[in-house]
Amino acid sequence: MRSRFPAIIGALLLCLTFLHASTSDPLPKADEVLKQAIERAQWQDKNKLDRQWAGTQRSINQKLNKEGHVEETVERMFQPVLVQGKPFARLISKNGKPLSGDDQKKEAEREKKFRENVSKPNKADDDDDDVELNEELISRYNFNVIRRDQVGDRPAFLLTFLPRPNVKLPEKRKMDRILNRLEGQVWFDAQNYSLLKVDMHLTEPTTLMGGLGSIRSLDFLIEMMQVAPDVVLPREVSISFEGRQLFKSMRVKQKGYFTDYRKVSELAEAK
């Protein structure tokens, strides 16, 4: 037994030497990381990798009162199915129970609208608030690489970002007023530069819809998971929001959990 100690100590020293070497490597510049991350995002979008998978979703929505106490909690479960060849997140339960008659009618109407959009897509119905990782988006912020980090079992680069000061940022869409006022942290995979995690919040209140609505605070967290060698999709999403719509104040918290990702080609057609 005693004869094994030198070998064990030698192995430990080798591990420590490797660890020190890997953690002491100079950090890349933010521009280098972002260039690789944009190329990765564009490659994934070109190959439509995220559209080839669909998962089960559990969402928890909470309404809060003025004091921040929870007034109402609603939990929903969504199961992916195919509707005319397209993945659709079908609501299958609410608060742990099968849908009631009223909820069944609402879900049937939502699915009907989805079918109509699949049959006759209308560009006017396209979501104007999609956010893509591209040069236009990152040009709004100043980024800094802080350190090497770990997200799950993946090595990552941790970057911080702030809105660029003294620069007139674009406000062509509703979402721009929010994007221009975000700061936070973002993690990119240190090997393939895929997005692994984002944690951000609003730097200051802003108005929407020409002043008919406002956002006083917004916190957003998304963490990704690897579902296939080249595919990274959401694992958990958390949003905390406080604002006003017309004359009604709103304070809500939303969480979404994604599991059991499957290829869209393997989903059953909805009946």
Side-chain angles (χ1 to χ4, degrees), residues 88-125:
F88 173 75
R90 174 181 282 177
L91 179 63
I92 60 172
S93 69
K94 183 176 178 181
N95 294 328
K97 299 179 181 179
L99 300 186
S100 65
D102 188 44
D103 287 328
Q104 285 180 343
K105 291 179 180 179
K106 292 179 180 179
E107 184 62 8
E109 183 62 27
R110 188 172 75 92
E111 187 168 325
K112 178 183 176 182
K113 290 182 179 179
F114 183 86
R115 290 179 182 274
E116 292 172 351
N117 289 334
V118 171
S119 301
K120 297 180 180 180
N122 188 345
K123 292 184 178 181
D125 293 333

Side-chain angles (χ1 to χ4, degrees):
M1 184 71 179
R2 292 173 59 187
S3 63
R4 295 180 58 191
F5 284 147
I8 295 174
I9 292 174
L12 286 172
L13 290 175
L14 181 62
C15 290
L16 289 172
T17 301
F18 174 78
L19 179 62
H20 174 74
S22 62
T23 56
S24 60
D25 288 343
L27 292 172
K29 295 181 179 179
D31 289 347
E32 297 172 357
V33 175
L34 293 169
K35 180 177 181 295
Q36 296 282 356
I38 290 173
E39 290 179 357
R40 167 73 189 196
Q42 291 175 341
W43 174 82
Q44 181 162 324
D45 184 62
K46 180 181 178 180
N47 290 277
K48 301 179 180 180
L49 296 181
D50 56 336
R51 303 178 191 179
Q52 298 176 18
W53 296 79
T56 299
Q57 179 184 354
R58 179 169 70 99
S59 72
I60 302 174
N61 295 353
Q62 294 181 323
K63 291 183 180 180
L64 284 64
N65 60 21
K66 294 181 180 179
E67 289 73 33
H69 300 140
V70 177
E71 288 186 331
E72 180 185 9
T73 299
V74 178
E75 181 175 338
R76 296 179 175 89
M77 286 291 297
F78 297 87
Q79 191 73 32
V81 295
L82 284 183
V83 172
Q84 297 177 203
K86 300 290 184 180
F88 173 75
R90 174 181 282 177
L91 179 63
I92 60 172
S93 69
K94 183 176 178 181
N95 294 328
K97 299 179 181 179
L99 300 186
S100 65
D102 188 44
D103 287 328
Q104 285 180 343
K105 291 179 180 179
K106 292 179 180 179
E107 184 62 8
E109 183 62 27
R110 188 172 75 92
E111 187 168 325
K112 178 183 176 182
K113 290 182 179 179
F114 183 86
R115 290 179 182 274
E116 292 172 351
N117 289 334
V118 171
S119 301
K120 297 180 180 180
N122 188 345
K123 292 184 178 181
D125 293 333
D126 289 345
D127 192 349
D128 186 44
D129 293 332
D130 285 346
V131 179
E132 298 181 6
L133 180 60
N134 54 29
E135 290 86 353
E136 193 276 337
L137 177 64
I138 67 170
S139 67
R140 302 169 189 256
Y141 310 102
N142 287 332
F143 288 86
N144 284 298
V145 182
I146 301 302
R147 65 175 184 270
R148 285 179 169 79
D149 208 347
Q150 196 86 4
V151 179
D153 61 351
R154 301 296 298 175
F157 293 123
L158 168 59
L159 286 71
T160 59
F161 63 94
L162 291 164
R164 294 178 62 192
N166 305 318
V167 175
K168 184 173 178 58
L169 301 175
E171 290 190 354
K172 300 177 181 179
R173 307 177 301 165
K174 293 179 294 183
M175 181 59 71
D176 287 338
R177 296 190 62 84
I178 298 175
L179 292 175
N180 294 343
R181 293 165 176 81
L182 290 175
E183 67 176 10
Q185 300 176 317
V186 57
W187 288 256
F188 293 107
D189 192 297
Q191 295 178 354
N192 62 25
Y193 295 92
S194 58
L195 179 67
L196 294 179
K197 184 177 178 180
V198 181
D199 186 0
M200 57 189 177
H201 61 270
L202 207 62
T203 60
E204 61 182 7
T206 185
T207 58
L208 298 172
M209 300 180 295
L212 297 177
S214 66
I215 300 179
R216 290 190 289 272
S217 67
L218 175 66
D219 297 287
F220 178 87
L221 172 68
I222 181 170
E223 188 166 341
M224 313 293 281
M225 63 184 292
Q226 185 169 322
V227 300
D230 289 321
V231 182
V232 179
L233 295 171
R235 183 183 70 84
E236 181 177 336
V237 178
S238 178
I239 302 173
S240 180
F241 167 86
E242 181 178 354
R244 175 180 58 83
Q245 185 176 9
L246 295 177
F247 304 107
K248 182 180 179 181
S249 294
M250 301 171 60
R251 296 187 70 176
V252 297
K253 287 185 177 181
Q254 300 178 334
K255 285 193 174 183
Y257 303 91
F258 298 84
T259 57
D260 302 324
Y261 277 104
R262 287 167 286 165
K263 287 188 175 181
V264 170
S265 59
E266 298 174 354
L267 296 178
E269 185 71 27
K271 297 179 180 180

